[in-house]
Amino acid sequence: MYRGEAMEFKAIPGPAHEQCGQLLASAPHNPFFTPAYLAARGDSGERPWLLALWAHGRVVAGCTAFETRRRTGRALEIHSAPAVVQERAYWEGLLGFCRERGVQELVLQTYGSPELTIPGGTRELWRRRRREHVWDLTAGNGAAGFSPNHRRNAGRALKAGVELRVAETREACRAHGHLVGASLTRRRERGEAVPSPRSEALWLRLLANGAALIYQGTREGTPLSSALVLLAPEGAYYQSAGTSPEGMAVGASHFVVQGAADDLRRRGIRRFNLGGAGPDEEGLGRFKAGFGARPVELEAAAHWVASPWLLALRRGVQALRRVRGAGVRRPEGTPGPAGAPTGAAAAGAGFSSRGHSA
């Protein structure tokens, strides 16, 4: 427990449903704060935490976090950093908690976060700019805010006989993985640096715990485009997506996003976050902005909170591995050693819906 001027920083392991409910009350649009999301991540072996400022026995503001063991040591990752991270009481409490737990690396992602600046003052491993696109589902219906190209593509898919399917099955998850892979391959062939796709096991856990839905555009029963969307009481997040070449030809990806938005609106969702695009992903950014979504400027960062000599040792080991790896030729496009980030993944990519090829 770390005291601020008027509130207390508390770290709660495996937070109860009621505690998550208090956190959600402060950000009802954020799917990364739901009990279902925590359960899905916990099933994968990550230890969930609630890190918040408290007053009068209740959560005022905060976030969820996940503690893992990596090859390089213990890490704590926040998937959706809260605005309160900029407050001194919270930031000092967070760093103190990390040191108390023996955490070496603190990763602050900003998926679904409000506009904020991540504090510095520690040994920074990396920092990157990113932009998300947030669609206000209360501001009109249908394709009223679409760009002409997006409106034309969504209509073309409908004329081509594409139908929307909402699914939570293993078969739909397997098709989702195939379509995500198709989009990533297409982008890789264009020379873009793309992350490795998220595993089917994670998607299945999200679906099984009620943390997500899959929206698919199908024609004659064949999925052409697919999007996995995380859910919160008042918000949704476009976690990953992919489209086949046949789907690209008929505008299936535009149709799926429009159909998902219409369904989410009927479910009472007010905000649909279409996820992120980096400075080097102009096509993906145009795809998301074309739905009339508002850009949100963000940044993500990782900090080393352990002793400096451990950081020096880690960097030495990484340098040695790079030297050894340079002597082994791998086919172009083949990933490096297990766990070694490349391209966008090295910059901290994770949930930023990078499957689509705009």
Side-chain angles (χ1 to χ4, degrees), residues 112-343:
S113 296
E115 291 189 9
L116 57 84
T117 299
I118 294 174
T122 63
R123 296 169 185 85
E124 199 165 282
L125 299 176
W126 53 259
R127 182 179 292 255
R128 66 183 177 93
R129 292 185 298 110
R130 56 188 303 272
R131 175 184 294 163
E132 290 192 336
H133 298 81
V134 180
W135 187 351
D136 181 1
L137 297 184
T138 67
N141 295 322
F146 286 18
S147 70
N149 179 65
H150 279 45
R151 193 177 298 114
R152 183 168 53 252
N153 276 314
R156 189 153 51 100
L158 188 62
K159 291 179 182 178
V162 179
E163 299 178 335
L164 185 73
R165 178 172 68 188
V166 185
E168 303 174 68
T169 64
R170 182 178 293 274
E171 291 74 18
C173 193
R174 188 174 296 115
H176 179 75
H178 174 74
L179 292 167
V180 169
S183 281
L184 291 176
T185 297
R186 194 161 51 243
R187 292 178 58 198
R188 190 178 294 113
E189 290 174 348
R190 293 204 302 256
E192 297 182 35
V194 297
S196 300
R198 286 282 172 174
S199 69
E200 183 179 322
L202 170 61
W203 294 329
L204 284 171
R205 287 193 296 270
L206 291 168
L207 295 170
N209 283 280
L213 290 172
I214 288 180
Y215 293 91
Q216 291 181 335
T218 67
R219 185 167 60 181
E220 298 179 353
T222 300
L224 302 180
S225 184
S226 182
L228 189 145
V229 176
L230 302 176
L231 303 174
E234 296 182 15
Y237 193 93
Y238 188 71
Q239 190 258 8
S240 56
T243 304
S244 68
E246 295 80 6
M248 293 288 291
V250 298
S253 57
H254 302 77
F255 173 83
V256 166
V257 175
Q258 180 183 4
D262 291 342
D263 181 70
L264 292 168
R265 190 182 291 110
R266 288 191 292 268
R267 294 172 184 264
I269 300 300
R270 303 168 62 86
R271 185 185 302 182
F272 187 13
N273 191 320
L274 297 180
D280 58 339
E281 298 174 304
E282 294 182 4
L284 185 60
R286 285 195 301 271
F287 173 79
K288 295 180 178 184
F291 294 100
R294 174 179 60 89
V296 179
E297 302 297 334
L298 297 162
E299 62 180 8
H303 298 270
W304 185 264
V305 293
S307 65
W309 71 266
L310 280 176
L311 177 58
L313 177 61
R314 182 177 105 149
R315 286 175 171 166
V317 170
Q318 290 173 336
L320 181 60
R321 286 180 179 145
R322 283 194 294 270
V323 170
R324 289 177 174 174
V328 180
R329 288 185 59 86
R330 286 186 292 268
E332 186 176 352
T334 303
T342 59

Side-chain angles (χ1 to χ4, degrees), residues 17-40:
H17 193 281
E18 179 185 355
Q19 294 164 332
C20 286
Q22 293 178 25
L23 178 62
L24 267 177
S26 69
H29 58 276
N30 196 320
F32 300 97
F33 295 171
T34 65
Y37 183 77
L38 262 69

